[in-house]
Amino acid sequence: MEAEEIEVLPAPGEAGDPGFLGDDELLVVEAKAPSSDLEWRQGKGPYKNKMVQQCTKEYARTIIEAMRERAEKSPRDGELADQLEAALNQGKLRYVVVKAKDSGSSYGGATLRECSM
C-alpha cells in the first residue's frame, strides 16, 4: 500500500492546521530533505513479512513495535509506544511530512503534507 499524501496548508489555528491539535491528539513528523522521498522498511509485528512505507498506518504500527522491542533497555520507548498505539487506535494520531524546498544554499521554505491514516 503506497502512502497517500493530502496537502494541508491552512492558516495557523484553523481547523486542519497540524499545529492545532485536538484533545489527546499526538503528532508524528517526518522531516525530509528536498531530494528525499518517503522511505520503505521491513515491517514488524503483523507486517513482518512485507515492506511498509513511511506515512502509512502499517509503518506507524511497525515503529510502535520496534519501540516496544527496545522497552527493556529504554523504558521511555515502551511508554511512548503505548501512547502512540492508543492514539492510533482512537483515530487521534496525526502524521505529517515536512519537506524542505530546494533553494541552493539559502533557505527556500518547506511544504507540509498530512498523511491519510
Side-chain angles (χ1 to χ4, degrees), residues 45-109:
Y47 307 105
K48 68 181 179 182
N49 293 321
K50 67 184 270 189
M51 297 296 289
V52 295
Q53 188 179 32
Q54 289 175 319
C55 216
T56 64
K57 189 179 288 188
E58 294 85 358
Y59 187 89
R61 291 198 184 280
T62 291
I63 296 303
I64 291 167
E65 184 64 30
M67 292 172 76
R68 284 216 169 88
E69 290 174 2
R70 296 190 301 264
E72 189 173 318
K73 291 184 180 181
S74 176
R76 181 72 177 134
D77 277 2
E79 294 168 13
L80 290 171
D82 291 342
Q83 292 173 16
L84 289 167
E85 183 172 48
L88 181 59
N89 289 341
Q90 295 168 14
K92 294 186 175 194
L93 182 66
R94 301 199 45 202
Y95 199 159
V96 298
V97 177
V98 177
K99 187 170 184 173
K101 290 183 181 177
D102 192 359
S103 186
S105 61
S106 63
Y107 176 69

Side-chain angles (χ1 to χ4, degrees), residues 103-115:
S103 186
S105 61
S106 63
Y107 176 69
T111 58
L112 172 69
R113 299 183 187 279
E114 184 162 9
C115 306

Side-chain angles (χ1 to χ4, degrees), residues 3-69:
E4 176 187 351
E5 293 184 9
I6 303 170
E7 188 166 347
V8 290
L9 297 172
E14 286 186 0
D17 174 14
F20 188 72
L21 296 175
D23 291 340
D24 301 323
E25 283 188 317
L26 296 179
L27 180 66
V28 173
V29 179
E30 291 287 352
K32 295 294 187 185
S35 60
S36 185
D37 292 320
L38 295 175
E39 296 184 9
W40 294 81
R41 71 173 283 162
Q42 183 64 48
K44 289 186 174 283
Y47 307 105
K48 68 181 179 182
N49 293 321
K50 67 184 270 189
M51 297 296 289
V52 295
Q53 188 179 32
Q54 289 175 319
C55 216
T56 64
K57 189 179 288 188
E58 294 85 358
Y59 187 89
R61 291 198 184 280
T62 291
I63 296 303
I64 291 167
E65 184 64 30
M67 292 172 76
R68 284 216 169 88
E69 290 174 2

